[in-house]
């Protein structure tokens, strides 16, 4: 198929879901991917209910032995405060190894008559007129879709002078077989180490643990020792021996976390979906769900402008949720600590607030004003509390809150404002 209606670069979650959606609309689709060599070793595994719903609408099925269901998250604050349970209201999240997800999607694309898979080839460059240069020669299509992830070649071709993404942190991931979570059926976010630790059941017989190490962090050779000394003591006691073995046996997967605002959806005959549009810290686990929603919205949109508008309005709240969590969980300054305490106090005090928070985290409520209201309430409480303990600091704290609170009015949150940052080279 030399000139398909649609050429999709990238057969990850966004590319496969786009292929299925567009082929359902009657388009002939060529789905091109270079294969595992260009895929990150550690990638998304937790899918929020909004993403699960897209998979259901596509008809993707997983067998029970390959995935796990979750009712929500339990956040374990530092300093021995009581844990906070955030429940998914009336729906559940799903987790599975990233390869299980892409394999299930690829199986569906292979079975679709409108889709041709081309493995072992990659897109080198594309123009906004639908011309693509690939390792398999040149293609001309009505639409080129850049679903080629964080280092998208399609995006680079359309925006060659763009500044690189901002480096936020590194993630180390280990998998423990036959281990038990403190409470089954939930993801656990443990705070108190230099960065958050996430624990969740990946499959019925394995749990995933990720350790987030803020930049700059120690140099690569010292990282394992850093994890053993600074992170391991925060794990539940029963998991520590197995985690120590996994870390010292070097059974660790690494990923670098970067931030690029979701600000560019392509031009004319080139559309971007998933991480190619922009990406964020994996802490809020939004990437997969946003990738699946992008794919669905692109397939349903009458033109690129309509897709851009819908995707932007869906991504505003998640981007800001990720920014807030990143700031509160990764930055140890006094303002972040105050905001985090106030947010947890809000959650402790009201089941309604935890439900709202979970709907926002799970992409079930992507409206702006409820999120703005949450921030205003949290900021107000921080101010009141700091006034009680340190009255002279009140004006300064108010100015800091106002300055940082300015992000609410912005299109893209200043993720790293006030946090350590450097650029990916
Ligand atoms: C450590 C870590 C943990 C994460 N955890 C979660 C989580 O729990 N939940 C969540 O929702 N998100 C998570 N994410 C984010 C999530 O992995 C991504 O948002 C998601 O994979 C994006 O899907 P995608 O299809 O856009 O891109 P990718 O999954 O990156 O897929 C891109 C595809 O494009 C192919 N490709 C690359 N270059 C080319 C080219 N030139 N031509 C053709 N094909 C090309 C690649 O081979 C790959 O198959 C995590 C990310 C990281 C780094």
């Amino acid at each position: 198929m030399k000139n398909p209606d649609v050429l999709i670069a990238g057969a990850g979650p966004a590319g496969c879901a786009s292929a299925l959606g567009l082929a359902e609309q009657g388009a002939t689709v060529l789905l091109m991917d270079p294969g595992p060599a260009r895929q990150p070793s550690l990638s998304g595994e937790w899918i929020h209910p909004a993403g699960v719903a897209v998979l259901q609408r596509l008809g993707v099925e997983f067998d029970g032995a390959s995935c796990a269901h979750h009712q929500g998250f339990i956040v374990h604050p530092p300093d021995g405060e009581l844990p906070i349970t955030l429940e998914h209201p009336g729906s559940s999240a799903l987790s599975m190894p990233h390869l299980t997800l892409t394999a299930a999607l690829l199986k569906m694309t292979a079975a679709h008559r409108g889709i041709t898979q081309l493995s072992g080839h990659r897109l080198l460059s594309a123009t906004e007129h639908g011309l693509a240069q690939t390792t398999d020669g040149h293609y001309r299509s009505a639409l080129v879709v850049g679903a080629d992830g964080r280092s998208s070649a399609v995006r680079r071709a359309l925006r060659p002078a763009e500044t690189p993404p901002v480096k936020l942190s590194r993630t180390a991931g280990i998998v423990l077989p036959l281990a038990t979570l403190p409470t089954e059926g939930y993801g656990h976010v443990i705070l108190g180490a230099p960065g958050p630790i996430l624990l969740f059941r990946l499959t019925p017989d394995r749990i995933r643990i990720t350790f987030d190490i803020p930049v700059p962090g120690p140099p690569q050779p010292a990282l394992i020792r850093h994890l053993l000394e600074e992170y391991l003591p925060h794990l539940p006691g029963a998991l520590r021996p197995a985690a120590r073995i996994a870390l010292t046996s070097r059974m660790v997967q690494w990923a670098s976390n970067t931030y690029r605002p979701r600000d560019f959806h392509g031009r004319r005959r080139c559309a971007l979906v998933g991480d190619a549009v922009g990406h964020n810290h994996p802490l809020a686990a939004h990437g997969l769900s946003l990738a699946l929603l992008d794919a669905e919205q692109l397939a349903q949109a009458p033109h690129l402008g309509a897709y851009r508008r819908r995707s932007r309005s869906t991504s505003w709240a998640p981007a800001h949720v990720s920014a807030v969590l990143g700031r509160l969980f990764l930055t140890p300054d006094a303002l972040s600590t105050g905001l985090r305490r106030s947010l947890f106090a809000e959650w402790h005090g009201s089941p309604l607030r935890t439900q709202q928070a979970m709907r926002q985290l799970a992409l079930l409520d992507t409206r702006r004003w409820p999120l703005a209201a949450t921030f205003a309430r949290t900021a107000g409480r921080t101010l009141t509390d700091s006034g009680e303990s340190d009255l002279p600091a009140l004006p300064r704290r108010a100015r800091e809150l106002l300055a940082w609170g300015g992000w609410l009015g912005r299109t893209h949150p200043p993720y790293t404002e006030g946090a350590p940052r450097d650029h990916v080279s």
Side-chain angles (χ1 to χ4, degrees):
M1 193 201 296
K2 209 60 193 175
N3 288 315
D5 297 334
V6 183
L7 168 67
I8 300 181
C16 289
S18 300
L20 290 166
L22 289 161
E24 274 305 297
Q25 306 284 333
T28 54
V29 178
L30 183 70
L31 182 59
M32 175 180 291
D33 197 287
R38 290 185 82 82
Q39 286 157 6
S41 72
L42 184 58
S43 248
E45 295 169 332
W46 176 288
I47 311 168
H48 286 302
V52 175
V54 178
L55 291 172
Q56 282 165 351
R57 290 194 284 276
L58 288 172
V60 187
E61 284 173 1
F62 303 97
D63 95 71
S66 65
C67 61
H69 295 266
H70 310 277
Q71 294 165 49
F73 283 103
I74 299 178
V75 181
H76 302 262
D79 313 326
E81 290 168 56
L82 284 177
I84 305 158
T85 303
L86 300 169
E87 298 263 358
H88 278 305
S91 48
S92 61
L94 199 59
S95 65
M96 67 194 76
H98 189 80
L99 276 178
T100 304
L101 171 65
T102 45
L105 283 161
L106 276 170
K107 194 170 154 200
M108 284 203 69
T109 59
H112 201 294
R113 279 182 29 208
I115 303 172
T116 305
Q117 288 181 3
L118 183 60
S119 187
H121 285 283
R122 64 193 169 93
L123 182 138
L124 300 170
S125 187
T127 72
E128 62 187 36
H129 305 295
L131 283 173
Q133 190 193 346
T134 79
T135 49
D136 186 46
H138 288 82
Y139 285 86
R140 175 186 288 279
S141 307
L143 183 66
V144 174
V145 178
D148 43 353
R150 292 193 285 176
S151 318
S152 169
V154 179
R155 182 171 181 133
R156 232 179 12 253
L158 296 180
R159 284 190 151 183
E162 201 167 46
T163 53
V166 175
K167 189 166 180 177
L168 300 172
S169 66
R170 272 178 282 200
T171 297
I174 54 174
V175 171
L176 302 186
L178 307 172
T180 308
L181 292 169
T183 307
E184 289 291 345
Y186 291 86
H188 295 261
V189 181
I190 300 176
L191 304 176
I197 304 172
L198 180 62
L199 260 72
F200 59 92
R201 183 154 294 289
L202 185 57
T203 60
D205 58 353
R206 283 179 287 171
I207 66 167
R208 160 69 80 195
I209 305 181
T210 61
F211 306 91
D212 199 87
I213 308 163
V215 290
Q220 188 74 29
L223 280 174
I224 294 292
R225 206 174 72 207
H226 181 60
L227 289 173
L228 291 172
E229 286 172 1
E230 304 291 338
Y231 287 72
L232 199 69
H234 295 275
L235 282 182
L239 294 175
R240 274 181 228 155
R244 176 180 291 280
I245 291 172
L247 288 170
T248 48
S249 325
R250 309 280 154 148
M251 288 150 51
V252 187
Q253 296 162 287
W254 292 97
S256 175
N257 302 314
T258 58
Y259 167 66
R260 189 191 278 296
R262 285 178 59 83
D263 63 352
F264 184 52
H265 290 76
R267 217 168 30 232
R268 295 186 181 207
R269 288 171 179 238
C270 269
L272 302 180
V273 284
D275 276 11
V277 175
H279 49 270
N280 217 321
H281 194 285
L283 184 62
H286 284 156
L288 288 174
S289 299
L290 285 173
L292 294 166
L293 285 164
D294 277 351
E296 187 172 64
Q297 290 169 353
L298 176 68
Q300 289 171 354
H303 48 78
L304 188 60
Y307 159 60
R308 183 189 304 118
R309 273 194 298 281
R310 245 190 109 190
S311 173
R312 278 196 172 166
S313 103
T314 308
S315 359
W316 188 91
H320 287 75
V321 168
S322 291
V324 173
L325 293 183
R327 174 73 196 254
L328 270 51
F329 292 180
L330 281 158
T331 320
D333 66 315
L335 180 67
S336 307
T337 308
L339 281 164
R340 194 181 65 221
R341 288 208 179 110
S342 303
L343 184 67
F344 290 170
E346 284 269 313
W347 286 351
H348 271 306
S350 159
L352 181 71
R353 298 276 182 253
T354 56
Q355 261 179 35
Q356 274 177 348
M358 203 52 194
R359 286 184 61 76
Q360 287 158 354
L361 186 64
L363 310 178
L364 294 171
D365 183 355
T366 54
R367 293 169 303 161
R368 293 182 184 212
W369 69 263
L371 193 61
T374 303
F375 182 79
R377 255 193 332 269
T378 310
R381 186 187 270 260
T382 310
L383 212 49
T384 320
D385 292 353
S386 73
E388 275 170 14
S389 58
D390 186 2
L391 198 58
L394 202 58
R396 180 175 46 84
R397 187 50 57 84
R399 276 197 305 279
E400 283 171 356
L401 277 168
L402 273 176
W404 198 64
W407 62 265
L408 265 183
R410 302 184 197 178
T411 316
H412 306 293
Y415 192 109
T416 51
E417 221 162 76
R421 57 184 289 165
D422 63 23
H423 281 106
V424 175
S425 49

